[in-house]
Amino acid sequence: MTEEKDTKQQEEKERLEPVSMYSIMAKLFACVAKEVVDRFGEAGKEAVMEGVRVFGEERGREIAKRAAMVGEPNGIENYLPNYDMGRSTLFEYTTEMHPNVIEQNFTKCAFADQWRKDGMEEYGILYCKMIDPAIARGFNPNFEVVHDKYLLKNDGACHFLFQMKDDKEKETN
């Protein structure tokens, strides 16, 4: 009985703690996406993903402007230093810099955690599939992202390779 009481008290305390902005935004996105998909089916999914693409490309253009403001070009080496979203302890990841490639592995993500908690993975994945390639393309039209593993698909991590297309083409020629 005491253990059950302690659990209930802990749950109540957690409900009263401030909610992270990441959780609030993840909930907002999932609710809107669910409504659109429920009403419009496949066309709704496409519309949600197109909205994420537009949003992502705009963010990327803003990141490029941040780089330009400090006199840096929008090359691969200036992408992360000028990124627009701070990371908190709600994200766990590694970043490895290779010649002409940034490799990132996220093992914890506040957005994915919230979508899982709410049972909204099928809507969250619409965001995950589009956002990083779109941000990178907005930052530089030659920047491409391979996102080949997803936390929301139970791959154990989100894995990203960021590379400039021109650099990739130079390596293969």
Side-chain angles (χ1 to χ4, degrees):
M1 184 79 161
T2 312
E3 194 174 310
E4 186 178 317
K5 184 178 178 183
D6 288 344
T7 301
K8 286 184 180 180
Q9 286 177 338
Q10 181 62 31
E11 288 173 356
E12 186 62 32
K13 183 181 177 206
E14 287 174 9
R15 278 192 284 257
L16 297 175
E17 291 292 319
V19 178
S20 82
M21 208 40 132
Y22 301 110
S23 293
I24 291 170
M25 298 308 339
K27 283 178 170 282
L28 171 64
F29 177 83
C31 288
V32 171
K34 182 180 184 322
E35 187 64 27
V36 171
V37 172
D38 286 353
R39 283 192 190 196
F40 303 105
E42 194 60 35
K45 280 184 187 178
E46 291 172 15
V48 168
M49 290 173 70
E50 178 63 10
V52 172
R53 184 194 64 76
V54 170
F55 170 68
E57 287 183 3
E58 176 61 26
R59 280 184 61 197
R61 287 189 291 276
E62 291 298 319
I63 295 168
K65 286 179 188 174
R66 291 165 65 110
M69 286 174 51
V70 294
E72 297 173 345
N74 61 337
I76 193 168
E77 68 282 357
N78 296 316
Y79 182 64
L80 293 178
N82 292 289
Y83 199 70
D84 64 346
M85 192 173 96
R87 299 286 187 224
S88 76
T89 58
L90 299 173
F91 295 87
E92 292 176 4
Y93 62 98
T94 60
T95 301
E96 293 181 33
M97 303 300 286
H98 305 286
N100 304 314
V101 176
I102 301 169
E103 181 175 10
Q104 289 193 307
N105 281 290
F106 282 75
T107 54
K108 184 176 179 186
C109 170
F111 297 112
D113 290 348
Q114 189 63 56
W115 290 324
R116 269 202 196 106
K117 183 178 176 183
D118 295 341
M120 299 293 251
E121 297 94 335
E122 72 179 283
Y123 306 103
I125 199 73
L126 301 176
Y127 181 86
C128 294
K129 286 182 175 182
M130 296 301 291
I131 193 63
D132 290 288
I135 295 170
R137 194 170 33 259
F139 178 73
N140 184 315
N142 293 318
F143 208 9
E144 82 178 357
V145 177
V146 175
H147 187 179
D148 58 353
K149 292 184 182 178
Y150 295 86
L151 281 165
L152 284 177
K153 289 186 174 182
N154 296 317
D155 289 336
C158 274
H159 178 255
F160 301 91
L161 293 173
F162 298 82
Q163 184 171 6
M164 288 293 175
K165 288 180 196 174
D166 290 344
D167 291 338
K168 186 176 180 181
E169 289 168 11
K170 286 176 195 170
E171 288 177 4
T172 59
N173 292 333

